[in-house]
Amino acid sequence: MVDSPKAAILQQLRSTPGLCGEAIGRRTGLSTTEVAAHIRELRALGYHISTDAGGYRLQASPDTPFPWEFGPREALIHHYAELDSTMTTARRLAREGCPPFSVVIAEQQTRGRGRLDRRWRSDPGGLYFTVVLRPEITPTLAARVNLYTCLVLVETLAEKLGIAAAVKWPNDILVDNRKLAGMLAEMETDADRLKFINIGLGVNVNNDPSKLEPRALSLRALLGRRVNRRALLAAFLDRLQAGFAEAAGEGVISRWKTCSATLHRRVEIVTRTGVVRGRAVDMDPTGALVVQRDDGATVAVTHGDCFHQAGGPP
Ligand code: BTN
């Protein structure tokens, strides 16, 4: 795949500090005027590029997930300064037939959507994106893909940042019982075929959600330093794609159980039809949470707002 002009220029600046415009042009096939124009644009986007007698030097790059920072994924990355919701744009792209693993990212969302018709605050510094997935499965297995995506985020956080996160059913990512990330899924089907499943993730990275939501946590608050959003997203996407053949497999259920914050706890789940109270004892093969009520009966809960009750695991 041919690099875009910005990817090619950044590659030169990163490998050889102190190249003049003509040299960058020769190495990238761009004219000196084009090089100068792209460097102007990169500076305006937050790249710190100095000039001296030796030429251009890249002093610092922003952590913004610009498409040209994603190597061979570049054409799949749709980055916006602001959207109403990445879910809306991703749905349009999916309906227009975009390839799987296309990603819509917004620096800010004016109408970020949470589960159960809630709003998702989307201030600058967070990571807000929707990835379009096209697994060849029946819609009945879609819940496993949601669980798989949560697992991928938990595993990415552990591998890249050494963070031990847990999943509150169905798909909140928690650290120390505080919410680090939330996930929203939206799918479209055609008879018995899944056309696409779009997974939206909002991750509190360098934003501070705790002022308005005390039970929310950001990676910056947790680690005491800023986290590079671009690197985090790239690692997440690589892991998501690498294991995707198993995304709807039964193994997802057992993997989920190992990082569940909900299993073995007393829970109260508010569903569309009522409230289920009891102890979360298992997850069934479809991804439903199996709750043992106080009268001893077990129920499989497929959706709802889950509240962990005081007392914790037995
Ligand atoms: C929740 O916990 O309620 C789910 C939150 C999901 C938020 C993300 S941010 C990116 C994507 N676009 C949206 O409008 N929502 C999801």
Side-chain angles (χ1 to χ4, degrees), residues 84-88 104 106 109 111-122 127-130 171-173 179 181-185 199-203:
D84 55 354
S85 162
T86 58
M87 300 304 284
T88 313
V104 178
Q109 300 181 113
R111 298 184 67 83
R113 281 158 42 196
R115 287 182 64 243
L116 308 164
D117 292 328
R118 297 194 180 117
R119 290 290 283 272
W120 181 263
R121 280 185 63 87
S122 311
L127 188 53
Y128 314 110
F129 66 97
T130 301
N171 38 33
D172 284 352
I173 309 292
K179 185 157 167 174
M183 195 198 97
L184 182 67
I199 306 259
L201 274 161
V203 188

